[in-house]
């Protein structure tokens, strides 16, 4: 089946507009030390322009306030938007709000949509997705946070961490075990919890390689969250009881494609800086672009980025036509492959800039720190490699006689026997 990543001219015009808008309006904001409140004020007119261009929250269907562009077009958009960490905010598809809006759109009741989805889409509220725990990261079947039914409420107890945007969120989607006796992937459910609910406390913002000293109340920070006897109305269950794991996978599939296309945008930005630097910087009697090592870096980065881009678009194309489950192998593959390409492209760009690249005068050092997280969040590389291997091996079976199909001596002996049988048959017919 042929792949087709082309778009109509009208959408290409939108991509061209995004390209210019990012460079003219969004990139300059990276140089300013703004609080989240200041950033919200500065970007407010930008968001209005994005909405006027019909590009706001483009990951959702039109009846939900989005554009219904499909995964391939979304991927092409994210490639441009993802060049800056601020791009997703300006276009209304930043994590975790974009993924949360998707599962709210699919699983929320009408009252839940009105209370949580509508303000999330218009940008008046922010959300947090709290699943990861100190003892349950890559394997969510190890979740220890519990929810126990008490009349018409559920009582939640447990600890979460690396809950993105918890300190600025207006509401939370919390994944917790509701039936410890059920099968591992049917134990957990999701709950909608309003900020300020008694017993629900954001303990602290966590420092990390991305942000060693997070500003209190900052955006895109990760937090530790404590739940102690948090009482949640039964009406705040999101989706069906026991469906939490399946819903999380629905949320993560498209999100991984969006992440990977953003990474390609960042890798391309680093690649542009690599090439530009090589054309003006001199060392040891010649331009850097004349050095074989630098030429290898340029060629390798170009090939890596091109391959990752095609792989990601193909995964988006397949998911758009056959669904998320059918594209599991492709999505897992781009997750770990794209993370490596992102790191290597930024690393080469940083290296060619020397001390300038290492300094905070350029965005490369921050891009480099953030790139390291790509190998961990949304599932570590090792988990995705294992998924790919398992799905591939399902397509094979061991030989019935225990002899490898491609074992040369065995194949040769089989051919000799077959030839002898045919010769005997021909002789008998004479």
């Amino acid at each position: 089946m042929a792949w087709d990543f082309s778009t109509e001219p009208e959408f290409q015009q939108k991509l061209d507009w995004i390209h210019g808008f990012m460079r003219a309006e969004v990139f300059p904001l990276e140089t300013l030390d703004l609080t989240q409140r200041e950033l919200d004020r500065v970007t407010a007119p930008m968001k209005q322009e994005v909405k006027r261009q019909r590009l706001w929250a483009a990951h959702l269907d039109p009846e939900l306030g989005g554009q219904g562009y499909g995964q391939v077009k979304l991927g092409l958009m994210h490639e441009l938007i993802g060049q800056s960490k601020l791009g997703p905010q300006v276009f209304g598809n930043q994590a975790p709000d974009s993924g949360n809006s998707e599962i709210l759109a699919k699983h929320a009741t009408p009252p839940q949509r009105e209370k949580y989805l509508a303000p999330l889409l218009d940008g008046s509220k922010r959300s947090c997705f709290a699943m990861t725990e100190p003892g349950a990261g890559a394997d969510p079947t190890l979740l220890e946070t519990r929810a126990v039914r008490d009349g018409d409420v559920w009582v939640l107890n447990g600890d979460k961490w690396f809950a993105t945007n918890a300190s600025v969120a207006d509401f939370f989607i919390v994944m917790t075990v509701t039936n410890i006796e059920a099968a591992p992937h049917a134990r957990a459910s999701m709950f909608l919890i309003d900020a300020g609910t008694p017993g629900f406390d954001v303990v602290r913002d966590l420092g990390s390689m991305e942000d060693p000293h997070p500003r209190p109340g900052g955006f895109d920070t990760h937090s530790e969250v404590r739940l102690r006897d948090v009482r949640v109305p039964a009406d705040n269950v999101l989706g069906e009881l026991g469906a939490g794991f399946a819903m999380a996978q629905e949320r993560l599939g498209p999100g991984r494609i969006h992440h990977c296309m953003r990474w390609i945008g960042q890798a391309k930005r680093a690649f542009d800086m690599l090439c530009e630097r090589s054309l003006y910087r001199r060392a040891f009697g010649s331009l850097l672009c004349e050095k074989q090592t630098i030429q290898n870096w340029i060629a390798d980065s170009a090939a890596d980025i091109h391959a990752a881009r095609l792989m990601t678009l193909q995964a988006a194309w397949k998911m758009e036509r056959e669904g998320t489950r059918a594209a599991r192998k492709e999505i897992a593959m781009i997750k770990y492959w794209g993370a490596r390409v992102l790191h290597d492209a930024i690393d080469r760009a940083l290296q060619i800039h020397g001390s300038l690249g290492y300094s905070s005068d350029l965005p490369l050092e921050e891009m480099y720190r953030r790139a390291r997280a790509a190998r961990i969040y949304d599932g570590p590389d090792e988990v995705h490699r294992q998924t790919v291997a398992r799905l591939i091996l399902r397509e094979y079976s061991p030989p019935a006689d225990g002899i490898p199909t491609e074992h040369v001596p065995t194949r040769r002996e089989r051919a000799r026997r077959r030839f002898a049988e045919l010769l005997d048959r021909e002789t008998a017919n004479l």
Side-chain angles (χ1 to χ4, degrees), residues 365-383:
E365 61 86 22
E366 183 185 17
M367 292 167 65
Y368 187 83
R369 286 187 282 109
R370 294 171 69 88
R372 184 59 183 85
R375 290 176 53 197
I376 298 174
Y377 56 61
D378 280 2
D381 286 1
E382 292 75 16
V383 171

Side-chain angles (χ1 to χ4, degrees), residues 14 47 52 76 89 127 143 164 203 217 237 275 283 295 310 315 320:
K14 292 184 179 296
K47 294 175 181 177
R52 195 182 72 80
L76 295 171
Q89 286 194 56
S127 65
L143 291 176
T164 304
V203 179
V237 175
C275 294
Q295 292 173 355
L310 290 177
E320 189 173 298

Side-chain angles (χ1 to χ4, degrees), residues 42 53 85 133 150-151 203 209 235 261 272 279 299 386 399:
V42 170
Q53 294 289 334
K85 67 176 183 179
E133 298 178 3
D150 181 18
V203 179
M209 287 182 67
D235 290 343
M261 288 304 289
D272 291 343
L279 292 172
Q386 185 180 51

Side-chain angles (χ1 to χ4, degrees), residues 354-403:
S355 56
L356 176 60
Y358 190 73
S359 76
S360 58
D361 283 0
L362 292 181
L364 288 170
E365 61 86 22
E366 183 185 17
M367 292 167 65
Y368 187 83
R369 286 187 282 109
R370 294 171 69 88
R372 184 59 183 85
R375 290 176 53 197
I376 298 174
Y377 56 61
D378 280 2
D381 286 1
E382 292 75 16
V383 171
H384 292 289
R385 283 192 173 96
Q386 185 180 51
T387 297
V388 170
R390 286 176 173 174
L391 292 173
I392 289 175
L393 289 174
R394 289 179 184 177
E395 303 169 8
Y396 293 84
S397 59
D401 57 6
I403 300 174

